[in-house]
Amino acid sequence: MRSVAVVGASLAGLWAARALREQGFDGRLTLIGAEPHRPYDRPPLSKEFLAGTMTEADLALEDAGEDLGAEWRLGVPAAGLTPRGSAGYAVTLGDGTSVAADGVVIATGATARSLPWNLPGVHTLRTLDDARALRADLVPGRRLVVVGAGFVGAEVAATAHSLGLDVTIVEIAPAPSARALGSRMGHALAGLHEDRGVRVLCGVAVRAVTGGDRVDGVLLDDGRSLPADVVLAGIGASPAVGWLAGSGVDLCGDSGDPGGSSGGSGGGVRCDAGGATNLPGVVAVGDCAAWYDPGLGRHHRVEHWTGAVRRPETAARTLLSGGAAEPGAPEPPYLWSDQYGLRVQFAGHAGPADEVTVEEGDVDARSFLAVYRRDGRATAVLAVDRVRPFGRWRRRIEPAGAR
Amino acid sequence: MIPACPLSALPRGEAVRLDTDPPIAVFHTEDGELYAVDDTCTHQDASLADGWLEGCEVECPLHASRFDLRTGQVDAPPAKLPVRTHGVVVEDGMVHVVPSELPPNLPPGLRTPGRA
Ligand SMILES: Cc1cc2nc3c(=O)[nH]c(=O)nc-3n(C[C@H](O)[C@H](O)[C@H](O)COP(=O)(O)OP(=O)(O)OC[C@H]3O[C@@H](n4cnc5c(N)ncnc54)[C@H](O)[C@@H]3O)c2cc1C
Ligand code: FES
């Protein structure tokens, strides 16, 4: 392999480029990124950066002076991927140019889903530019309505509360993250907000976002109307795979993730357990990729930071070995979230019928560790403010089908 | 010297966090060695005393960068900077920390003294 194009120059793309170099790839390396920015870290966008305690410079993912010997094509999206037989691939870019490569790493991540009402004051949060715009709108005293109580929505609610906004969360499910965590633990997470006077309205859908020059309210399906100066749509993200249309790369259906922990949007680039797609010399990593999980017996798209950092090493090995490298057993997905100064951590795959026991602490005291079990096997662990025991439990989660 | 805890209160494989500014973590490795480093990861806000101790390395509980407790060096990103190390002395069964005089490598957001 003499040349590799990494498409998507963010977390998974940067880690893939590093892994290729670490594994001895010394050919031509091109990173293509739609955003004009150097790779930056997204988790602080809803936390420290939004709160103003981290600067843009603090978000940089690269080391000072790090040089991967790569060509960077930033600020221009890939528009298509064309197989060229033994000549490899052509990645065509939005500006009409193209990059030829023997191998391709797909790392285009995901795009925030938006509400159908696009008024000034209505935001999504995925990129640095989104975060700048949201931050400018989070003025103390304003009323914020967060639509969707997933982790990003919950974090924005917590940060906005700390900035002095009046915050309401609207969630269509019976409890926050109910699908991923079950309703009991979802209610426990709702309590983090309610303790501080942030309202959490569950089991109700948004009928409309209202306003003229600017948003002024959110109308709910049950007839209630919430006044709002700012609205955040925290309704998940879809894999950024539109540019692969016509390339021949197989995608997963939308139902690829029933009951998983990823927030469940499914879809994504269909990969084997080593990150290989159906096209030779093309692998996919990060939020856009649905890897086959042999324990689960299905493809599963993981949308968390740690997956985007851990999998590129395997995918690079797959790419450089032409698929001959045996992937190791998959690690259980892991995510963390910070809300109101409390650290929430989750690892594993919780199923709707799993039995949940609080092993340590007290849910009402907002400091606890709960273990999910199926047939006596620990499938997942959730902790609030219990970092050390979580680390031990995380290592005891058994992959599905382990016995 | 800052008294940390009686040696008998810090079994092998365990760590204790001192409420200094910035906080310090003291580790007792499985091999019986004692090490002290700044408790806060150099990457973001995580307590290394809550991390995973293996040999004389601690893995950050948040993003898994590993720090060598002997030198403070970090193995791999996302952390970029080493963690500051301190001296440890045991006197009369009491573990004491001899704080470093070098500046700490605190993560962004915690760089203002007192916030740690
Ligand atoms: C606000 C926020 C908070 C988060 N907090 C946490 C957290 O606390 N814990 C946690 O575990 N995870 C968190 N996450 C998730 C984590 O950030 C993602 O899992 C991670 O960013 C995935 O990395 P990625 O490189 O796969 O995708 P992305 O980070 O989405 O990067 C993909 C890149 O590809 C670019 N791109 C897209 N299409 C194209 C194209 N056609 N051509 C070229 N480039 C393209 C995009 O512009 C983007 O720069 C958070 C995410 C957000 C948005
Ligand atoms: S906080 Fe320690 S590695 Fe990120």
Side-chain angles (χ1 to χ4, degrees):
Chain A
M1 188 149 300
R2 297 210 310 272
S3 54
V4 175
V6 177
V7 188
S10 187
L11 187 65
L14 174 63
W15 253 259
R18 285 176 173 164
L20 287 165
R21 288 300 191 219
E22 268 160 30
Q23 292 173 30
F25 171 69
D26 59 3
R28 194 160 67 89
L29 183 60
T30 312
L31 282 104
I32 300 158
E35 293 182 79
H37 313 292
R38 304 288 306 181
Y40 63 88
D41 205 22
R42 274 167 230 276
L45 297 182
S46 49
K47 311 177 183 76
E48 299 91 334
F49 179 77
L50 199 60
T53 57
M54 259 171 95
T55 65
E56 289 185 18
D58 293 331
L59 300 176
L61 286 171
E62 292 166 285
D63 258 329
E66 176 170 3
D67 184 5
L68 290 166
E71 205 178 303
W72 294 78
R73 301 289 305 270
L74 297 178
V76 52
L81 176 70
T82 315
R84 291 210 169 141
S86 59
Y89 294 89
V91 180
T92 42
L93 306 191
D95 62 4
T97 60
S98 85
V99 174
D102 302 327
V104 176
V105 179
I106 300 172
T108 41
T111 317
R113 283 197 209 105
S114 49
L115 292 165
W117 306 279
N118 193 10
L119 289 168
V122 179
H123 296 261
T124 54
L125 179 55
R126 181 76 199 180
T127 65
L128 176 58
D129 298 357
D130 294 341
R132 286 175 181 158
L134 178 61
R135 186 157 121 173
D137 240 359
L138 294 184
V139 176
R142 281 191 174 169
R143 292 156 304 183
L144 168 71
V145 173
V146 174
V147 180
F151 286 105
V152 170
E155 290 174 357
V156 171
T159 303
H161 172 77
S162 76
L163 291 172
L165 282 86
D166 177 76
V167 183
T168 306
I169 303 174
V170 181
E171 166 61 53
I172 194 167
S177 302
R179 206 157 153 272
L181 305 178
S183 74
R184 181 167 162 225
M185 289 299 126
H187 283 298
L189 294 189
L192 306 184
H193 303 284
E194 290 159 347
D195 287 352
R196 279 126 187 125
V198 169
R199 290 169 295 277
V200 185
L201 311 178
C202 289
V204 60
V206 168
R207 183 184 297 165
V209 173
T210 58
D213 294 344
R214 196 186 154 85
V215 61
D216 64 17
V218 174
L219 188 61
L220 304 184
D221 252 357
D222 59 11
R224 271 181 291 182
S225 151
L226 310 171
D229 307 302
V230 188
V231 170
L232 174 82
I235 52 176
S238 310
V241 293
W243 68 281
L244 292 168
S247 66
V249 171
D250 277 350
L251 305 178
C252 278
D254 266 348
S255 58
D257 177 35
S261 64
S262 75
S265 39
V269 179
R270 190 181 175 91
C271 296
D272 71 8
T277 68
N278 61 309
L279 296 186
V282 180
V283 297
V285 288
D287 281 15
C288 68
W291 285 30
Y292 183 73
D293 185 319
L296 291 176
R298 58 180 165 84
H299 291 81
H300 179 72
R301 193 164 70 86
V302 177
E303 287 183 89
H304 312 311
W305 193 97
T306 302
V309 158
R310 299 286 299 172
R311 286 179 163 177
E313 189 187 329
T314 304
R317 196 154 283 130
T318 299
L319 186 63
L320 296 179
S321 71
E326 241 344 276
E331 295 172 8
Y334 159 64
L335 75 97
W336 81 94
S337 173
D338 294 324
Q339 300 169 29
Y340 307 102
L342 295 172
R343 180 144 290 156
V344 179
Q345 294 169 290
F346 180 82
H349 296 278
D354 289 4
E355 192 191 321
V356 185
T357 33
V358 174
E359 300 277 337
E360 268 193 37
D362 181 354
V363 170
D364 293 329
R366 314 301 181 213
S367 173
F368 66 93
L369 181 143
V371 176
Y372 295 68
R373 288 193 181 81
R374 196 178 317 152
D375 308 327
R377 176 172 64 80
T379 54
V381 54
L382 171 72
V384 175
D385 188 33
R386 294 272 160 165
V387 175
R388 197 188 306 198
F390 177 87
R392 295 181 185 167
W393 271 101
R394 180 182 162 191
R395 288 168 171 81
R396 282 157 63 181
I397 296 299
E398 298 172 59
R403 42 163 138 139
Chain B
M1 260 186 358
I2 307 167
C5 64
L7 183 56
S8 56
L10 186 61
R12 291 183 183 201
E14 293 292 329
V16 63
R17 173 169 48 243
L18 309 186
D19 253 341
T20 45
D21 185 13
I24 291 173
V26 185
F27 295 86
H28 195 178
T29 68
E30 295 291 351
D31 294 337
E33 302 290 336
L34 290 164
Y35 298 102
V37 301
D38 280 341
D39 181 56
T40 312
C41 182
T42 62
H43 175 231
Q44 286 171 14
D45 185 11
S47 158
L48 294 176
D50 286 340
W52 181 255
L53 182 61
E54 210 168 285
C56 45
E57 282 189 334
V58 64
E59 182 183 300
C60 172
L62 204 48
H63 309 123
S65 278
R66 283 168 171 260
F67 295 91
D68 188 320
L69 295 172
R70 297 165 297 188
T71 60
Q73 289 306 316
V74 59
D75 74 327
K80 301 167 186 173
L81 299 174
V83 68
R84 184 173 64 159
T85 59
H86 305 279
V88 183
V89 215
V90 181
E91 257 172 31
D92 300 331
M94 242 343 241
V95 181
H96 298 263
V97 171
V98 187
S100 162
E101 276 162 16
L102 300 171
N105 284 327
L106 294 178
L110 295 181
R111 281 185 193 138
T112 11
R115 277 223 51 211

